[in-house]
Amino acid sequence: MSYTWVKTFIEDLALQPNGRLRMDCPSCHKKNTLSVSDDGYQRMYNCFSANCDVKGVTGKRLTPTNSRTVFEKKSEPSVKHKVYCDFQLPTTFVPLSRNQKAIDYVRSVNSYQAYLDNRVDIMYDIRFDRVAFLVKDKGKVVDAVGRTLNNSKPKWYRYGKSNNGFIVHNKFSHIFIVEDCPSACSVCSFVSAKALLGTNLLDNHIDKLKKYDKVIVALDKDATNKALEMSRKISQHVNCSVAFLTEDLKNLKDTDRERFVRKYIN
């Protein structure tokens, strides 16, 4: 079985040359079963759990004696590739089902049904212990946004450099603009949704909103002024109103959330 993501995980560990460590296996999650050793040139790893076949050797790293030869043979990438290379999913992204803690988080913010219904793609980053929401444009993954599960900073992490928001289109003619990915997932059974992901409202965002009959700005209750200003800007192009929240959409009970959303789309 291929474990490319495990190999990358091992390569990124903060382990000094000639160092050793024991840790929980990132694949089977058994306690203290993974052994990693670094000989200054490459890393050997092996999980001692009887039901896990994670083991191997990482690629050889450059040393003062071989670095010149390697760089002489390596061709310089074209400028076009440097500037326009597509976003690639990190090899440490694994299916959400591989980590129960990640599933529990997605459930807790009322996003699991959207995941089960294939309205959104959500993965787990084994390296950073984050739930990763995939950002798409015309069906293609262009970015990802990760939410930490271990209280590390930042709470939300943007993997790529796109300015795209996180959109759940569906076939609804109305769209809610919300703060974050879970909020968008939580309402997508009743309305299309777009999470700004902390960015300002850009011209390309407005262009994508023009196809909807109505836009409803539903930001967190401490962002009322931002919501009003955003609504004024959008109203120049499409019918827009503000939904005033007293509690985050993703934290509402299902019946309360549906009642709140339908109040603005019916």
Side-chain angles (χ1 to χ4, degrees):
M1 184 179 295
S2 175
Y3 286 102
T4 303
W5 62 271
V6 174
K7 184 176 180 180
T8 303
F9 174 80
I10 299 297
E11 291 173 340
D12 289 336
L13 289 174
L15 182 62
Q16 295 298 319
N18 300 313
R20 295 175 178 271
L21 62 80
R22 288 290 291 269
M23 61 183 297
D24 299 349
C25 178
S27 179
C28 70
H29 306 294
K30 295 291 180 62
K31 296 292 184 181
N32 206 34
T33 59
L34 185 71
S35 172
V36 184
S37 61
D38 188 309
D39 65 1
Y41 198 52
Q42 58 190 354
R43 293 180 178 181
M44 288 67 71
Y45 56 96
N46 181 50
C47 178
F48 293 100
S49 173
N51 298 320
C52 184
D53 56 0
V54 164
K55 62 180 178 180
V57 180
T58 64
K60 294 180 179 180
R61 296 194 300 274
L62 295 179
T63 67
T65 58
N66 67 13
S67 60
R68 182 177 179 182
T69 301
V70 172
F71 280 114
E72 286 176 348
K73 292 181 179 179
K74 184 177 180 181
S75 61
E76 180 69 17
S78 67
V79 174
K80 181 178 180 180
H81 176 73
K82 284 183 177 179
V83 178
Y84 300 107
C85 58
D86 292 337
F87 174 77
Q88 298 293 326
L89 284 181
T91 58
T92 53
F93 278 22
V94 299
L96 184 68
S97 58
R98 294 287 296 274
N99 187 275
Q100 187 59 48
K101 183 169 60 172
I103 293 175
D104 292 342
Y105 168 76
V106 173
R107 288 183 185 275
S108 72
V109 292
N110 293 294
S111 300
Y112 197 59
Q113 192 60 50
Y115 168 75
L116 292 179
D117 292 342
N118 293 317
R119 291 192 175 101
V120 296
D121 282 334
I122 308 174
M123 302 187 75
Y124 173 66
D125 185 349
I126 189 74
R127 177 185 178 190
F128 290 115
D129 193 23
R130 290 179 180 272
V131 169
F133 295 82
L134 305 191
V135 179
K136 296 184 177 183
D137 186 10
K138 298 178 181 178
K140 181 179 181 181
V141 178
V142 297
D143 209 336
V145 183
R147 203 278 190 186
T148 183
L149 297 178
N150 58 23
N151 296 319
S152 62
K153 301 296 182 180
K155 181 177 180 181
W156 287 94
Y157 176 76
R158 189 100 181 213
Y159 288 87
K161 297 181 180 180
S162 78
N163 289 319
N164 293 60
F166 176 82
I167 300 181
V168 189
H169 282 296
N170 291 326
K171 297 180 180 179
F172 300 111
S173 60
H174 291 23
I175 185 169
F176 262 52
I177 295 181
V178 297
E179 291 277 3
D180 52 42
C181 299
S183 294
C185 293
S186 72
V187 300
C188 69
S189 294
F190 324 112
V191 66
S192 295
K194 175 184 179 72
L196 287 177
L197 309 177
T199 63
N200 293 322
L201 189 68
L202 304 176
D203 289 341
N204 68 309
H205 295 162
I206 293 179
D207 287 340
K208 293 181 179 180
L209 294 174
K210 290 178 181 179
K211 70 177 184 178
Y212 294 95
D213 293 340
K214 185 175 183 181
V215 178
I216 301 95
V217 182
L219 305 184
D220 294 344
K221 60 182 179 181
D222 58 352
T224 299
N225 290 336
K226 179 181 177 181
L228 291 171
E229 178 59 32
M230 191 176 295
S231 176
R232 283 192 287 270
K233 188 174 181 179
I234 296 173
S235 294
Q236 299 176 31
H237 308 275
V238 62
N239 184 20
C240 183
S241 63
V242 176
F244 295 97
L245 297 170
T246 58
E247 187 176 352
D248 288 354
L249 285 170
K250 59 182 177 289
N251 296 332
L252 292 173
K253 294 181 179 179
D254 291 344
T255 53
D256 293 338
R257 188 185 315 105
E258 181 176 1
R259 186 182 306 113
F260 180 85
V261 171
R262 293 197 182 283
K263 181 172 64 175
Y264 290 92
I265 65 177
N266 291 334

